[in-house]
Each structure stands twice: as structure tokens, then as C-alpha cells.
Amino acid sequence: MARDSKSAAGATPAKKPAWYRQLWQVYRLTRRYDRGVSWWMLGGFLLAGGAAFASTFVIGGQGVLAIVLGAVLAVFIGILVALIILARRADKALFAQVEGQPGATAYALQQIRRGWRVEQEPVAVDPKTRDLVFRAIGKPGIVLLTEGPLPRVLRLAEAERKRHARVASGAPVHVIYVGPGEDQVPLRKVTGRMARLPRALTSNEVTTVAKRVAALTVVRAPVPKGIDPYRARPDRKATRGR
């Protein structure tokens, strides 16, 4: 026992994969959903590298030194552009992979930048239709994001909008209908839509609104953390109190 505990205590933690292995893994995963990523990266490398190589002759003239510097700059700029292309197309591939799956909106909210208070669990669930409503709070106010077909989720979204407006202390309540249908926002454009919302609150007001809404969540939340929303049961006490 002492030997086992000693060996366990002295065990070294697993090392993270090297950066180039992680990069190769990202490329392979992206290529599964985007067969053209290799050609996009190659085209970006050649165009950017060629432009960088040609610019050295315009700035530094001809000569061995200009050729060497131009080649180094071309390789560096070309690789940089190719990696930028890979990052963007990998992001699109990930969104395409999760789009249409339950809770995909939560994944989109994970990509949002600082300045937002995001709920990872849905704040409202329709147990019959399996439609969801997620919430984020920031300087634009309260943002409710729906997940489900637009005609079906309208009623749930409006009920949550009114409920949040009653405790929002005058803060704006926005509703974003997430989905691939008409008048809906595609999953990968959710963060961009939220970033374009007009600012209406200060940082202190965001904190105040978040506290008031948190109290609402404690009373209303039908899905505790760690519970599959599709297996959740409606809160009968909350239902009788409506």
C-alpha cells in the first residue's frame, strides 16, 4: 500500500500535446467537414507569400540580400495567412458540427468575448416541444436566445421576455431567435449579432440587473445544472404559481 501510494504521488501529470500535434489535429478535424480547406490554405500561402516576396523588390531593390529577405518574409507571411484561414474555417466546421444538436446555442455563447454574464444552462425549457431559451446579460441589457423552430418557440420566448422585463429594473430585454430558418440568426453569427446591440447599461447596472434576474432564475429554473434538459420534468410548484 505504501509503495502504491508513493508511486501514485510521484506520478507525473500527463503532458499536453505539442503545438504542432494540436495544429495537425485541428487540420484533420476541419478537413472532415471542409474538404476544400487544404486548397484555401495553399492559395492563401501562395498569394500572401508572393505579394510579400514582390514587395521586397519594390522597397529594397534587387540583389542577393533582397532575395533572401523576400524569401524569408514570404514564407513567414504565407504561413501566417494559411493559419488564419485554417482558424476561420475550423470555426465554421465546428459550428456546422454542433448546429441542430440540443444545446448548440450554449456552445455559441461560450465563444462570446468578455463583458457578458452567460448562463450555460437554459433558463426555460418546454418539455413537450423540447424548445430552449438561454440567457446572457451585458451592457446591451438582457439577451434571450431561443432554440427551436420559429413559429413554435415564439410563445415561450414572449413569456420569458415578459417575465424578465418585470424584474429587469428598466433594462432592455432583447430576443434573438437562433436557427437556420427565415428570420432566425445562424448559430455562427450569434456572437456578432450580440456585439452589434446598442449599449444601454453601465458595468454597475449590469451587476444589479444580474442579481435581480438571478433571483428569478432560482424560482423559475426548470433545469438544474447537470440535468439533461430533454429528461427534465416541469416544476409543478412554479406551474401552479403562474
Side-chain angles (χ1 to χ4, degrees), residues 15 30 69 87-88 103 106 142 147 173 182 196 203 217:
K15 293 183 179 180
T30 304
L69 291 177
R88 291 187 175 181
I142 301 172
E147 186 173 302
V173 180
E182 188 177 357
R196 291 194 297 271
S203 298
T217 305

Side-chain angles (χ1 to χ4, degrees), residues 41-203:
M41 292 177 65
L42 179 61
F45 176 84
L46 293 177
L47 288 176
F53 186 75
S55 65
T56 57
F57 290 97
V58 176
I59 298 173
Q62 297 181 354
V64 177
L65 181 60
I67 294 175
V68 173
L69 291 177
V72 173
L73 183 64
V75 172
F76 177 78
I77 297 297
I79 292 176
L80 180 62
V81 171
L83 291 178
I84 292 174
I85 292 174
L86 175 61
R88 291 187 175 181
R89 298 190 77 87
D91 190 53
K92 290 182 179 180
L94 285 174
F95 276 112
Q97 183 178 357
V98 302
E99 192 167 13
Q101 296 184 8
T105 305
Y107 173 78
L109 290 175
Q110 291 175 3
Q111 315 306 315
I112 199 169
R113 296 180 179 180
R114 294 180 179 178
W116 288 88
R117 296 169 180 258
V118 177
E119 295 282 347
Q120 296 299 328
E121 298 287 336
V123 296
V125 180
D126 188 327
K128 293 182 179 180
T129 63
R130 299 182 176 181
D131 296 331
L132 307 174
V133 176
F134 291 86
R135 182 182 66 217
I137 303 174
K139 291 185 177 180
I142 301 172
V143 180
L144 301 176
L145 304 101
T146 70
E147 186 173 302
L150 184 59
R152 196 176 66 194
V153 80
L154 285 174
R155 186 175 181 180
L156 179 63
E158 182 61 15
E160 288 302 313
R161 187 194 67 79
K162 291 180 178 179
R163 187 171 292 110
H164 281 76
R166 285 197 293 266
V167 298
S169 300
V173 180
H174 308 275
V175 180
I176 297 178
Y177 299 97
V178 182
E182 188 177 357
D183 296 328
Q184 288 184 303
V185 179
L187 192 65
R188 61 186 178 86
K189 295 184 178 181
V190 166
T191 56
R193 174 65 65 87
M194 294 176 65
R196 291 194 297 271
L197 292 173
R199 302 295 187 265
L201 304 176
T202 64
S203 298

